[in-house]
Amino acid sequence: MESSKPTEISSSKMFEGFNRRYKHYSPTLGCSINFHIYFPPSTSPSQKFPVLYWLSGLSCTDENFIIKSGAQRVASTEGIALVVPDTSPSAGFYLNATVEKWKNWQMYDYVVKELPKLLNDNFSQLDTSQASISGHSMGGHGALTIYLKNLDKYKSVSAFAPIVNPVNCPWGQKAFTNYLGDDKSAWEEYDATCLISKFNDVAATILIDQGEDDKFLHENQLLPNKFDEACRNVEAPLLLRMQPGYDHSYYFIASFIDDHIRHHAQALNL
């Protein structure tokens, strides 16, 4: 059996820091999984960096964000470590599946519990008690729901084109039926628009960027207006920026990622 301790499988220098990729066996998921960490440049051996978790979208791996987003430039200057888990299983919606067939799909527990402990135990240069979370599409959904249910664990959240109301969109309905069964109340536990009414004691403004030319926006998969309305109802601070001409791709993410890194740096008091 593979070690649950992470083994480094690649390393590349970037903006004076390093992208390092690791593999480990996850007891939570019952399989081995990869993740990337971008370590910013260190000024002393005892320096500890806060962590920004990035949750990727459907069909992405831990590599897409590291290769395409350009987030390392500002992470390097702000002194934030980027932690990017794989999405394996690729369509897991960052929930804990309850249907027998998918019972190993426990990505919520992996992100919230197993991964931070793994980082804490194996990387002395990371300060996992100072953490924020972000993501794209399905990963934006993951970031928002995980943040709202764990306001004590994360200082801030942001998202690009997130699926904010999955109980009311085709992608969410299909995934939730598969993984959670037919009990709609169980679905609401993983829906940011439902959760914000319960968990609205938000310390930092929620930042969301959404491209206006995103085809999934027009197919009613993302529903940012529903989340905007729910935030207004409970006076939760949301900055929803509709970006004219942008689509759902990493070109869009790369265009605005600097703002997101700085948003988290501010919340992390850097």
Side-chain angles (χ1 to χ4, degrees):
M1 189 191 229
E2 283 185 275
S3 171
S4 52
K5 275 184 84 67
T7 44
E8 188 179 308
I9 48 181
S10 70
S11 174
S12 306
K13 189 170 184 178
M14 190 175 187
F15 296 116
E16 299 303 314
F18 284 89
N19 295 314
R20 299 193 198 277
R21 193 182 198 193
Y22 299 90
K23 183 176 194 167
H24 77 110
Y25 177 81
S26 162
T28 306
L29 302 173
C31 64
S32 65
I33 188 168
N34 298 331
F35 63 90
H36 261 94
I37 303 177
Y38 174 71
F39 294 99
S42 176
T43 50
S44 80
S46 61
Q47 186 176 7
K48 284 173 102 69
F49 299 110
V51 171
L52 175 61
Y53 295 97
W54 173 268
L55 303 183
S56 297
L58 218 57
S59 80
C60 287
T61 70
D62 57 305
E63 292 189 295
N64 299 67
F65 182 74
I66 289 293
I67 294 169
K68 295 179 175 177
S69 72
Q72 294 93 333
R73 185 193 303 270
V74 176
S76 167
T77 55
E78 294 285 357
I80 295 179
L82 305 173
V83 174
V84 187
D86 198 350
T87 56
S88 173
S90 64
F93 260 77
Y94 300 99
L95 48 76
N96 290 337
T98 52
V99 172
E100 187 64 23
K101 183 181 173 185
W102 309 104
K103 67 179 189 306
N104 282 3
W105 291 27
Q106 306 288 308
M107 278 300 283
Y108 177 90
D109 276 358
Y110 178 77
V111 171
V112 175
K113 297 174 182 171
E114 185 181 333
L115 186 56
K117 184 174 188 324
L118 185 85
L119 299 175
N120 200 49
D121 292 350
N122 292 282
F123 301 100
S124 59
Q125 62 273 59
L126 301 181
D127 180 0
T128 53
S129 70
Q130 298 293 311
S132 291
I133 192 164
S134 185
H136 170 230
S137 195
M138 177 185 78
H141 143 80
L144 288 163
T145 53
I146 284 170
Y147 171 75
L148 291 172
K149 292 207 271 192
N150 299 275
L151 292 170
D152 56 327
K153 290 189 173 77
Y154 306 96
K155 305 292 184 208
S156 51
V157 68
S158 72
F160 289 84
I163 302 167
V164 289
N165 191 198
V167 303
N168 285 317
C169 81
W171 281 342
Q173 289 164 349
K174 182 182 175 188
F176 288 0
T177 303
N178 276 340
Y179 309 144
L180 301 171
D182 296 326
D183 176 8
K184 300 277 166 71
S185 65
W187 296 14
E188 293 180 0
E189 288 300 306
Y190 296 104
D191 182 303
T193 300
C194 300
L195 290 169
I196 195 74
S197 62
K198 285 193 278 192
F199 304 105
N200 46 48
D201 189 17
V202 180
T205 299
I206 297 167
L207 172 61
I208 295 178
D209 276 318
Q210 172 63 59
E212 287 186 356
D213 280 16
D214 184 329
K215 71 174 182 181
F216 302 117
L217 176 68
H218 300 292
E219 290 171 8
N220 293 324
Q221 296 285 15
L222 307 175
L223 306 174
N225 51 317
K226 297 275 195 199
F227 187 64
D228 187 31
E229 194 182 320
C231 286
R232 287 174 200 271
N233 287 343
V234 293
E235 297 181 359
L238 169 67
L239 177 57
L240 170 62
R241 306 192 302 187
M242 302 300 294
Q243 303 289 5
Y246 287 91
D247 61 14
H248 198 73
S249 72
Y250 266 87
Y251 300 120
F252 161 57
I253 295 171
S255 301
F256 300 102
I257 193 66
D258 291 5
D259 288 351
H260 286 244
I261 304 289
R262 292 191 180 107
H263 169 77
H264 296 297
Q266 191 178 353
L268 293 160
N269 295 323
L270 297 177

